[in-house]
Amino acid sequence: MSAWETVIGLEIHAQLATKSKIFSGASTAFGAEPNTQACAVDLGLPGVLPVLNRAAVEMALRFGVAIDAEVAPRSVFARKNYFYPDLPKGYQISQYELPIVGRGHVFITTADGNRKEIGITRAHLEEDAGKSIHDQFPEQTAIDLNRAGTPLLEIVSEPDMRSADEAVAYARQIHSLVRYLEICDGNMQEGSFRCDANVSIRRRGETRLGTRTELKNINSFRFLERAINFEIERQIDVLEAGGEIVQETRLYDADRDETRSMRSKEEANDYRYFPDPDLLPVAVTADDLARVRAALPELPEAKRQRYIDQLGLSEYNADVLTANRDTAVYFEAALDAVPGEATQLANWVLGDLAGALNRDGLEIVAAPVAPAALAQLVARIADGTLSGKLAKEVFEACWQGEGVPDDIIAARGLQQITDSGAIEALIDDVIAVNPAQVEQFRAGKDKVLGFFVGQVMKQSQGKANPAQVNEILRRKLKSG
Ligand code: ADP
Ligand code: MG
């Protein structure tokens, strides 16, 4: 065990999936021509007034209820003042002293399989800035203001995580949650879900927090893990060499797999926050919360527990199936057709299906084997038509577009032989042509049974039901 303990808190910016911006009617669609989706309000031209988008508030409330948070009956928008070319107003509208969502929590599964509660300090609404593009024109920076005014929910965690693994598990949990809630599309490449990691270390046993650095520019879970691990090592090296950690913001450079200083605390802005005089406080009533609560879908935590308690799935299978909403939707659609086969179905979804998706680089929503087809396959295993081995062959054929399992079974003549009369006939033939091995078996050499099973399976081209073959063979060999 290392002499150092790691402490991590995450700030996650989830772009809310509203059609229009948080304070204007301009579109939020991704990928439009630069500067075609910023209106006078987003640009902060003189004489305009912001109008709060109700959908953004609703989405923040969904999140607040989902993490069991104290939702503020009255929250306030504030101006965060700073100068930057992609911030035309000269201030960002955010929330500061009175955020809409207060203290809440989520659970993660740690590497050793335990459940751990992670506190969420707050989640507040704010608008995004525009984008500075440095690599399009030599010697010049281009500015695209389409993103200005896009609604964000900034989710701030307590410093409750103790390793990069835990930080990734937490970030994945929030990612899964916002997608279940349908408040964010979760696309990290397009910047719809961004994580900043605050990292510090301290001597094991120390109760005070160490000085932290904030890591930015992380756009995948893999980079989150690598950036944190790099930073932990760097801080340990500094402290063990007798140095001090400087509170600063560091950029993660994925190409070099390292973090680099961007700005120190001394250079940090004084944002001169004050309540935005153009916007009314947001009032949320108990009725609003009750309505939002009633409309929530089943959330990953509840779903996971139901899979364990009611479907009898292992904790691991329940974790993986519920981590991604699309996977759970697929699984439940298939389960509707074979309600008694939850475990078998889970194994297929997480085994062959996941393997094929991975191999072909597909998302589960684009799986060539539809939920109903996988259910049919599992039903044919359950009713003895297919052995495990033949089922794999049928699955692959179905994946390649040869039709649904029943059609493939019929077309390829793949039915497992379960007719005991037919199996007996095969066995009689095999026994008749192998008298020497029959003698060996009767002389007590049990191992020869394997030879007979192999011969019968070969004669049946792998279609004979192995359990029946074993049982009938034993009977016949003994009674001869
Ligand atoms: P700021 O106002 O500078 O953004 P906050 O107090 O809001 O700072 O904290 C930002 C994030 O940093 C939170 O997620 C918090 O849990 C985390 N954090 C604060 N102190 C530490 C620390 N010493 N080590 C690791 N994380 C920390
Ligand atoms: Mg902060």
Side-chain angles (χ1 to χ4, degrees), residues 353-375:
L353 181 78
L357 290 170
N358 200 23
R359 179 192 67 204
D360 293 357
L362 292 174
E363 295 293 325
I364 198 162
V365 288
V369 175
L374 190 66

Side-chain angles (χ1 to χ4, degrees), residues 51-82:
V51 177
L52 179 58
N53 183 341
R54 176 180 288 272
V57 176
E58 288 282 324
M59 289 181 185
L61 294 183
R62 284 164 80 81
F63 182 79
V65 171
I67 62 162
D68 267 327
E70 300 154 17
V71 172
R74 181 174 170 282
S75 65
V76 169
F77 283 101
R79 290 188 182 177
K80 178 178 181 180
N81 299 280
Y82 66 98

Side-chain angles (χ1 to χ4, degrees), residues 176 180 300 303-304 307 317-325 327-328:
S176 164
Y180 267 89
K303 205 183 264 303
R304 174 185 180 279
Y307 283 11
N317 278 0
D319 260 358
V320 187
L321 283 174
T322 55
N324 176 335
R325 177 168 183 264
T327 308

Side-chain angles (χ1 to χ4, degrees), residues 13-18 28-31 59 150-151 174-194 221 324-326 363:
H13 287 87
Q15 182 180 315
L16 296 176
T18 57
T28 55
F30 181 82
M59 289 181 185
T150 298
I174 297 293
H175 188 255
S176 164
L177 187 59
V178 296
R179 300 197 57 226
Y180 267 89
L181 294 169
E182 297 184 275
I183 63 173
C184 171
D185 69 18
N187 190 325
M188 295 178 85
Q189 298 311 312
E190 292 179 3
S192 311
F193 189 89
R194 317 196 277 268
F221 294 123
N324 176 335
R325 177 168 183 264
D326 294 335
E363 295 293 325

Side-chain angles (χ1 to χ4, degrees), residues 384-412:
T385 308
L386 292 175
S387 65
K389 188 159 164 276
L390 290 179
K392 282 182 183 292
E393 183 181 334
V394 172
F395 176 84
E396 197 48 41
C398 182
W399 187 271
Q400 299 305 333
E402 287 182 35
V404 296
D406 280 351
D407 294 345
I408 295 166
I409 293 166
R412 296 193 173 193

Side-chain angles (χ1 to χ4, degrees), residues 230-470:
F230 173 89
E231 185 59 16
I232 294 169
E233 291 305 317
R234 191 191 69 83
Q235 292 189 10
I236 291 175
D237 287 349
V238 170
L239 293 182
E240 290 193 341
E244 270 184 21
I245 303 300
V246 186
Q247 185 170 344
E248 62 183 355
T249 304
R250 298 178 69 87
L251 276 191
Y252 178 65
D253 179 339
D255 294 333
R256 298 199 195 171
D257 191 24
E258 63 178 26
T259 65
R260 270 202 307 277
S261 181
M262 184 170 109
R263 61 169 179 259
S264 73
K265 186 81 196 290
E266 288 75 61
E267 299 160 43
N269 293 294
D270 170 5
Y271 294 120
R272 296 175 291 120
Y273 280 99
F274 63 87
D276 192 312
D278 290 342
L279 286 156
L280 293 169
V282 182
V284 176
T285 65
D287 282 353
D288 290 330
L289 291 178
R291 177 178 49 77
V292 167
R293 190 183 307 275
L296 282 191
E298 184 181 38
L299 297 177
E301 186 61 30
K303 205 183 264 303
R304 174 185 180 279
Q305 207 54 53
R306 179 168 64 85
Y307 283 11
I308 295 168
D309 296 344
Q310 291 176 28
L311 302 180
L313 298 186
S314 68
E315 293 206 5
Y316 177 81
N317 278 0
D319 260 358
V320 187
L321 283 174
T322 55
N324 176 335
R325 177 168 183 264
D326 294 335
T327 308
V329 167
Y330 183 105
F331 173 72
E332 289 183 20
L335 189 66
D336 274 348
V338 280
E341 298 295 331
T343 299
Q344 179 79 272
L345 188 61
N347 290 338
W348 274 88
V349 170
L350 301 179
D352 291 61
L353 181 78
L357 290 170
N358 200 23
R359 179 192 67 204
D360 293 357
L362 292 174
E363 295 293 325
I364 198 162
V365 288
V369 175
L374 190 66
Q376 197 174 69
L377 185 75
V378 165
R380 291 302 158 263
I381 299 167
D383 69 15
T385 308
L386 292 175
S387 65
K389 188 159 164 276
L390 290 179
K392 282 182 183 292
E393 183 181 334
V394 172
F395 176 84
E396 197 48 41
C398 182
W399 187 271
Q400 299 305 333
E402 287 182 35
V404 296
D406 280 351
D407 294 345
I408 295 166
I409 293 166
R412 296 193 173 193
L414 289 179
Q415 285 92 339
Q416 179 171 238
I417 302 169
T418 53
D419 168 11
S420 53
I423 294 176
E424 276 190 41
L426 282 170
I427 287 175
D428 288 343
D429 288 349
V430 169
I431 287 179
V433 298
N434 294 292
Q437 282 82 353
V438 175
E439 278 317 309
Q440 288 175 3
F441 182 82
R442 287 183 187 150
K445 220 175 147 194
D446 268 4
K447 272 203 256 171
V448 221
L449 186 72
F451 163 78
F452 281 106
V453 172
Q455 291 298 306
V456 176
M457 292 310 287
K458 198 167 152 199
Q459 291 302 316
S460 74
Q461 290 163 318
K463 292 185 213 164
N465 176 292
Q468 280 173 290
V469 169
N470 259 286

